[in-house]
Amino acid sequence: MRARIAHIASNTFREAVRDRVLYNLIVFALLMSGASILVGQISINIERLVVINLGLTAVSLFGMVIAIFIGIGLVSKEIEKRTLYTVLSRPVRRWEFIVGKFFGLAGTLVVNTFFMAIGVFAALLYVSHSFQKPDAWVLVALYFIILQFLIITALTLFFSSFSSPLLSAVFAFSLFVIGSFAEDLRGFAGITQGVTRWLATGAAYLVPNFSALNVISSVAHSNPVSGQLILYNSAYALVYATLAISGAVLVFEHRNLK
Amino acid sequence: MSGSRRVTVVFSVLLAGCLSASVLLLRRLDQARTDATLEEVLYISSPKALKRLSLGYDGLLADIYWTRAVQYFGSKHHAGARRYDLLAPLLEITTALDPHLLVAYEYGANFLAPKAPGGAGMPERAIELEEFGIHNNPNEWRLYYNEGFIRYMELKDYAGASEVFARGARVPNAHPFLAILAGKMAEHAGDQQMARMMWSTTYQTTKDNNVRANAAAHLRALQVDEDVANLEALTGRYQQQTGRFPASFSELEAAGLLRGTPRDPFGHTYQVMPDGRVEVRTPDDFPFIQKGTPPGYVPPLAPKFLPAD
Amino acid sequence: MAAIEILGLEKTYSVGFWRKKPKYALRPLDLAIEEGEVFGFLGPNGAGKTTTLKLLMGLIFPTAGTARILGMEVDDPKMKAQIGFLPEQPYFYDYLTARELLEYYGQLSGVDPKHRSRKVDDVLQRVGLPQVGGVQLRKFSKGMLQRVGIAQAILHDPRVLFFDEPMSGLDPMGRREVRDLMEQLKHEGKTIFFSTHILSDAEALCDRVAVIHQGELRGVGAVADLTSSVHGKVEVVWQGTAVPASLRALGAECHITGDTVRAVLSEANQDTALEALRRERMRLISVTPVRTSLEDYFIQKLQPGVTVGARA
C-alpha cells in the first residue's frame, strides 16, 4: 500500500517536472534579482522589509497558482484521457490513487518552494550583506506557506474529484481568497445574531483558515513567531488537509468513471 | 465487509474527526492570536497605501476594516479596556477606503470622541474624521450633527457646535432639529434638557445598533439623574416638615408629596437611604449616571452593553 | 471454478436533467467463462461491450448483480494482481517513455523489482517494439500505442486477460501479429475475454462467443458449433456465362458474375449437377460444402425480437 502510494506520488512529481512546471523558478529568480537590485538602489532602511515582503508574497502566489492549476488536472485529466483505467485495473485502490496524487503534488511544491527560498535568502544576503538572527523567522514564514500549499492542494483535489477543472479552479481560488480573511469572517459571524449567526459561524469555521498561516508582514518586521502558533498551525494544516482528502476519497470511491 | 465499504467507513470517520479537530484548533488559534487581524494596521497604517493595495476592491476592503473596527471596539469594551489606540486608525482607514460609509463617522462621534470607558477619548481626531466626511459628503446633515455633537458633549465648544449645526441646517433635507440646535446652543449650554434632546435625536436617527444602545444608555442615565434629583428634593422637604428622613416612599405618599412608587427606566423601584439620599437598585445597569449610586461606588470595568429598547 | 462469473450484472444510467429516464447500458447479464478459454464478446458499436468490461474492472459500479473474477470480488487487489486489461483505444502518460511506463505499471502491479527490467524487455520484444523503449509515448502512432497497451496488460504475467477491441487501430500486419500473440497466450493457458466487432478475428481465435446488442445478450455458443455445416448444401462454382437448364431444374440458386457462375444446391443433388456440367463441358472451379459463417449467426442475432438462444 505504502509502496503503491509512493510510486503514484513519484510519477505525479515526474509529470510536473516533465511538463516544465519548475520553469516558474526562472521567472521567480528574475523577479527576485530585479527587485533586490532596484531596492538596493532606492531605499536605505527598508531593503530587508521589501525583499522579505515581496519574496514571500511571490513564493506564496506562485505556489498557489501551481497548486491550483496542476491540482485541478490531477484526477480529471486521468479520467479524460482514460489513463486511470490501466491504473485502477491494477492492485491499486482508489483512495491510494488520491493520496498518492496529493503527495506527488505536495512534493512538487515543496521542492519548488525550496528553490524559491534559496532565491529569497540570496536576495536578502545581497541587500544586507549578512544574515541576521530574525532571518530565521523567514524560514518559519516559508514553512507556513508550505502548510498553505498542503491545504489548497487537498482542497483542489477534493473539488476536482467531482467537478470540472474550470469550476474546481474557481472554487479553490475563491476559498483561498475567503480563507485569507477567515479571521475577519469569524469576527463578523460573532457580531451577527440569530439564524445568521449560526450559518455564518458554521461557514466561518468550515472555510480554510489561511490568515493565521500568513505571517509575512510580521516576519518582515523581524517579529518572532510564537512556538504555540507554529504548533497549532502545523496541526491545523494537517487536520484540514486530511479533511479535504477524506472528502475527495469519499466522492471518488463511489464515482462511475466515464 | 467489502473493501470499498471499509474505505468508506474509515474515511467518513476520518472526515468527521478532522472536522471537529479543525474547529477546536481554530478556537485555540483565535485565542493565541487575539487582535491578529489588527496587526496589519500597525504595518500598513497609511490608508493611501492600503487603497492602492486593494487593487480596486476598496469597497470590500472598507467593509472588512469597518467590521474590524466594530469588533475591536466591542471586544475591548467588553473586556473593560481604558485605551483604544487602534480605533482611530481603523476608522480612518475605513473611511479612506470608502469615504461614503456614513456609519463609520457616526461610530467615530459616539465612540472615538468620548472619554474612557465609553470611548477612546480622542475628540480632536473624531472631529478630523467628521471634517473628512463632510468634505466628501457635503450634503449629509448627519455628519454636521455628529461634529456638533462632539463639540458640544466633549469639548464644551458651544460656539463651534452652534456654527456646525447651522452649516448642517442649510443642507437640503436636513433634519429640522439642526436649526433648533444651532439656535439654542448658546442659551442652553450645559443644560440637561439640551443633552436629552441630542441623545434622543441620535437614538431616533441612527441605524447602528451599538450607537443606538449607547444613546439609550445615556438617555436612561439622564432620566435617572433627573429622577434622583427630584426625589432627593422631596426627601429633603419631608425632613424639613417632620424632622426626619422617610423610611420609604410610602411615607412620602402618605405625606401627600408623591403619588405612586417611583421606578427607574428598567422598572425597578428606587430606594430611600436613611440619610435621605435616593439610590438605584442596580447601578451597574446605568453606566453613565452621575447621581443615585452608593457612596464610593466604583463602576464595573466592563460596562454591560444593554439592549437599545 | 470459472475464471469469470457474471451474475445478473446490470447498468442503467439516468438520462435527462429534469425528468430522468433510465437508459439501459446493460440489461441483466449472466455469463461464465472457464479458465483457459478464449471468449469473444461480439456486438456492434455501442452494444454494451465496453460497459461490461468497465464493470468487470471496477471502473463503474453495477446497478444490480455481481461479478467474480477468479472467485474474487471485482475490487479485490489480490485478484487485480492476476489480471491484465487493455482499454479501447488506449492512451498513456505521454511524458513517459514506453519503458518508463511499463516500469511504473510493473511497480503498481507488484512485479518483483529483481525481474522487472527483464520483464519489460521481454514484453517489448513480444509486442514488436524492442527498439522504441526509450522513446516518449507522445511520439507513438495509434498502432504503437495499441501494442504498448497489450504490453502493459501482459507485463505481470496475469492469468486472465481483458482486451477491449485489441485489433483496432492496427494495420493488416499488426493485426496478424496481435492475432498470433493472442494465439500464443492461449497456448500458455491464459483466459482471454475480448470484445470485438471484427468477426473474422473472433472466428479465428475464440473457443466461444457471445453476441450482445443494445445492452442485451442475444446468444452464446461455441464457435465450432455455430459454424458447422447444418444445412447440407453445397456450393458449386464453374467458368461460364450461362446456367444449364438441367441445373435449374434441380432448384439451384445461381449467381453469374463475369465469367463465373456460383450455384448453391442441396447435397443430394451434387452428383447430378456435376454430371450435367460435365455434359455441357463447363470448366469446374470448386465444390464446397456450405457452412454457416459466424457472420450469418451474428446478423441473425441482431434481428429484433430474437432472444437468448443458449445460455452459458
Side-chain angles (χ1 to χ4, degrees):
Chain A
M1 167 191 102
R2 216 177 301 161
R4 286 191 297 269
I5 293 176
H7 292 317
I8 292 169
S10 67
N11 191 47
T12 308
F13 180 77
R14 184 160 55 177
E15 176 175 8
V17 173
R18 298 230 174 132
D19 282 348
R20 302 182 178 87
V21 165
L22 298 182
Y23 278 23
N24 77 90
L25 289 170
I26 297 173
V27 182
F28 181 78
L30 288 175
L31 182 78
M32 277 326 289
S33 39
S36 39
I37 292 167
L38 267 179
V39 166
Q41 285 175 353
I42 47 173
S43 53
I44 303 180
N45 287 320
I46 59 156
E47 305 101 330
R48 277 190 77 255
L49 186 82
V50 173
V51 165
I52 294 176
N53 267 330
L54 181 79
L56 294 187
T57 307
V59 170
S60 168
L61 285 180
F62 276 56
M64 281 295 166
V65 169
I66 294 174
I68 291 176
F69 281 91
I70 299 186
I72 54 174
L74 281 182
V75 176
S76 59
K77 210 166 79 187
E78 297 240 359
I79 295 176
E80 193 84 1
K81 296 193 167 177
R82 288 177 283 122
T83 44
L84 196 54
Y85 290 9
T86 40
V87 172
L88 290 186
S89 64
R90 289 171 198 281
V92 175
R93 286 211 174 271
R94 288 183 176 203
W95 72 264
E96 293 172 345
F97 176 77
I98 294 281
V99 173
K101 282 278 168 188
F102 170 76
F103 281 119
L105 181 49
T108 311
L109 288 163
V110 168
V111 170
N112 200 48
T113 311
F114 174 76
F115 286 119
M116 288 190 184
I118 294 178
V120 173
F121 278 102
L124 259 180
L125 194 61
Y126 175 81
V127 295
S128 51
H129 307 297
S130 65
F131 287 127
Q132 296 153 23
K133 218 173 164 204
D135 291 345
W137 300 117
V138 174
L139 281 176
V140 177
L142 282 163
Y143 169 65
F144 282 1
I145 289 173
I146 289 178
L147 293 181
Q148 291 190 345
F149 294 163
L150 297 188
I151 294 179
I152 204 77
T153 302
L155 271 174
T156 315
L157 204 56
F158 170 66
F159 289 128
S160 79
S161 70
F162 60 83
S163 99
S164 74
L166 184 67
L167 275 182
S168 309
V170 171
F171 287 149
F173 186 72
S174 324
L175 271 188
F176 171 53
V177 174
I178 297 171
S180 299
F181 292 102
E183 283 176 351
D184 285 302
L185 202 58
R186 285 200 295 282
F188 175 71
I191 55 174
T192 52
Q193 267 140 26
V195 186
T196 328
R197 190 190 183 111
W198 280 101
L199 290 176
T201 310
Y205 276 98
L206 206 58
V207 299
N209 180 39
F210 288 124
S211 35
L213 287 164
N214 186 347
V215 291
I216 295 178
S217 30
S218 168
V219 300
H221 285 86
S222 304
N223 290 338
V225 182
S226 77
Q228 208 185 16
L229 189 65
I230 298 177
L231 179 73
Y232 288 148
N233 267 339
S234 309
Y236 177 77
L238 189 75
V239 160
Y240 200 90
T242 314
L243 172 76
I245 291 174
S246 303
V249 167
L250 287 175
V251 174
F252 193 61
E253 191 70 25
H254 299 282
R255 182 166 169 192
N256 285 314
L257 302 177
K258 280 276 131 54
Chain B
M1 188 155 66
S2 87
S4 176
R5 178 134 352 130
R6 192 162 56 233
V7 170
T8 308
V9 170
V10 167
F11 280 92
S12 303
V13 170
L14 210 53
L15 187 95
C18 285
L19 194 60
S20 10
S22 79
V23 172
L24 288 178
L25 279 165
L26 279 180
R27 309 210 95 163
R28 282 293 176 83
L29 271 172
D30 284 349
Q31 281 166 14
R33 279 165 53 83
T34 42
D35 296 340
T37 52
L38 302 168
E39 273 173 24
E40 281 164 48
V41 180
L42 305 171
Y43 300 136
I44 319 173
S45 47
S46 150
K48 270 187 199 147
L50 251 179
K51 198 174 169 86
R52 244 175 271 136
L53 280 177
S54 68
L55 304 172
Y57 295 99
D58 41 8
L60 179 64
L61 204 60
D63 296 347
I64 287 171
Y65 269 91
W66 165 240
T67 316
R68 286 177 180 176
V70 173
Q71 233 204 314
Y72 170 76
F73 181 75
S75 60
K76 291 207 89 170
H77 188 64
H78 191 73
R82 287 285 181 269
R83 295 175 62 89
Y84 303 92
D85 293 339
L86 291 183
L87 185 61
L90 280 169
L91 289 173
E92 282 160 11
I93 291 173
T94 305
T95 50
L97 289 169
D98 183 357
H100 308 298
L101 198 68
L102 296 181
V103 67
Y105 301 110
E106 190 173 31
Y107 211 79
N110 282 274
F111 300 115
L112 183 58
K115 283 184 284 295
M122 303 181 183
E124 282 85 5
R125 269 182 104 162
I127 286 176
E128 276 175 41
L129 188 74
E130 301 307 330
E131 281 298 329
F132 178 78
I134 289 171
H135 177 75
N136 284 290
N137 312 275
N139 285 333
E140 285 294 339
W141 63 265
R142 201 181 287 273
L143 296 169
Y144 302 90
Y145 173 74
N146 290 343
E147 188 180 335
F149 187 89
I150 302 167
R151 287 187 186 280
Y152 175 83
M153 292 283 180
E154 305 302 330
L155 300 178
K156 315 289 179 216
D157 170 15
Y158 307 121
S162 172
E163 186 261 331
V164 180
F165 284 134
R167 260 163 69 202
R170 288 194 292 272
V171 165
N173 299 321
H175 196 285
F177 208 70
L178 258 72
I180 304 170
L181 283 174
K184 292 199 172 169
M185 215 25 42
E187 50 180 293
H188 288 278
D191 191 339
Q192 267 209 346
Q193 209 51 42
M194 193 73 212
R196 187 194 291 268
M197 273 159 67
M198 295 188 58
W199 281 118
S200 330
T201 311
T202 301
Y203 181 85
Q204 282 158 15
T205 57
T206 187
K207 287 170 186 128
D208 185 85
N209 286 339
N210 291 334
V211 171
R212 189 195 303 260
N214 186 51
H218 276 280
L219 284 170
R220 282 193 294 264
L222 288 171
Q223 181 68 49
V224 169
D225 286 348
E226 194 185 328
D227 287 353
V228 169
N230 289 339
L231 290 170
E232 281 179 352
L234 291 181
T235 55
R237 205 182 316 160
Y238 185 87
Q239 194 238 4
Q240 279 171 7
Q241 285 173 10
T242 62
R244 64 173 182 88
F245 286 114
S248 67
F249 287 120
S250 44
E251 286 182 19
L252 286 180
E253 246 185 298
L257 293 172
L258 188 65
R259 218 184 293 154
T261 314
R263 291 173 185 273
D264 70 23
F266 282 114
H268 302 295
T269 51
Y270 288 101
Q271 45 189 351
V272 196
M273 306 318 285
D275 59 358
R277 285 184 314 103
V278 172
E279 284 180 14
V280 288
R281 286 179 191 273
T282 53
D284 292 0
D285 285 351
F286 301 98
F288 303 106
I289 48 176
Q290 318 271 333
K291 299 187 173 117
T293 55
Y297 169 75
V298 181
L301 264 182
K304 285 192 220 169
F305 242 138
L306 292 162
D309 302 290
Chain C
M1 180 191 69
I4 307 166
E5 261 181 296
I6 300 172
L7 287 174
L9 206 60
E10 186 182 343
K11 182 74 186 171
T12 50
Y13 289 103
S14 301
V15 205
F17 183 73
W18 189 242
R19 242 175 245 161
K20 299 215 170 189
K21 278 188 214 148
K23 177 180 176 287
Y24 298 96
L26 187 65
R27 309 234 176 209
L29 174 72
D30 293 283
L31 274 180
I33 288 121
E34 296 304 319
E35 229 178 322
E37 204 174 7
V38 176
F39 193 91
F41 204 43
L42 312 181
N45 292 330
K49 294 175 303 211
T50 299
T51 302
T52 310
L53 278 164
K54 279 160 95 178
L55 284 166
L56 290 175
M57 292 301 106
L59 298 172
I60 55 176
F61 301 100
T63 313
T66 56
R68 296 174 83 79
I69 298 169
L70 296 168
M72 290 175 265
E73 303 272 336
V74 292
D75 66 347
D76 192 335
K78 284 202 287 295
M79 176 275 285
K80 287 192 169 168
Q82 302 179 56
I83 62 165
F85 174 49
L86 165 71
E88 190 181 5
Q89 289 170 14
Y91 188 86
F92 302 103
Y93 304 105
D94 57 11
Y95 52 90
L96 297 180
T97 66
R99 174 175 297 282
E100 284 169 338
L101 179 88
L102 293 173
E103 291 269 357
Y104 175 51
Y105 281 156
Q107 291 169 340
L108 293 185
S109 287
V111 174
D112 189 342
K114 272 182 281 181
H115 311 303
R116 201 186 294 143
S117 175
R118 189 178 50 75
K119 283 206 167 181
V120 169
D121 284 333
D122 286 354
V123 90
L124 280 170
Q125 183 77 43
R126 249 186 124 167
V127 297
L129 298 170
Q131 279 93 33
V132 292
V135 177
Q136 276 198 343
L137 291 168
R138 64 173 98 237
K139 300 195 176 106
F140 274 40
S141 70
K142 219 175 154 194
M144 286 160 91
L145 282 177
Q146 189 76 18
R147 288 165 193 249
V148 173
I150 294 171
Q152 61 84 26
I154 61 176
L155 170 74
H156 47 293
D157 201 18
R159 280 164 70 190
V160 185
L161 288 164
F162 296 86
F163 290 161
D164 199 354
E165 303 282 359
M167 318 290 184
S168 77
L170 294 171
D171 56 25
M173 264 311 277
R175 278 173 69 170
R176 182 55 184 268
E177 282 170 25
V178 169
R179 201 188 272 195
D180 290 347
L181 180 63
M182 286 174 72
E183 207 67 73
Q184 281 172 33
L185 292 166
K186 181 179 175 180
H187 284 300
E188 288 167 23
K190 312 279 187 216
T191 310
I192 306 176
F193 181 94
F194 78 101
S195 78
T196 185
H197 60 274
I198 302 169
L199 298 164
S200 57
D201 293 336
E203 200 165 346
L205 285 167
C206 294
D207 298 315
R208 283 195 304 148
V209 292
V211 176
I212 184 171
H213 184 46
Q214 290 170 347
E216 193 176 12
L217 186 67
R218 291 293 176 87
V220 187
V223 173
D225 295 341
L226 299 179
T227 57
S228 62
S229 47
V230 280
H231 295 335
K233 288 200 173 179
V234 286
E235 181 191 60
V236 182
V237 183
W238 69 90
Q239 211 163 39
T241 48
V243 182
S246 53
L247 245 112
R248 277 202 194 283
L250 294 173
E253 296 170 44
C254 300
H255 304 276
I256 303 168
T257 0
D259 61 348
T260 52
V261 184
R262 183 173 160 272
V264 177
L265 43 107
S266 104
E267 212 173 353
N269 296 328
Q270 184 186 334
D271 289 343
T272 328
L274 291 179
E275 189 62 31
L277 287 178
R278 204 176 304 131
R279 264 201 318 273
E280 301 280 332
R281 297 188 184 280
M282 298 287 186
R283 194 160 155 239
L284 188 66
I285 294 172
S286 68
V287 182
T288 38
V290 176
R291 296 163 67 96
T292 324
S293 70
L294 195 54
E295 191 175 335
D296 294 332
Y297 179 73
F298 182 71
I299 300 292
Q300 178 207 335
K301 290 301 178 192
L302 296 196
Q303 304 302 321
V306 177
T307 47
V308 178
R311 287 227 171 191

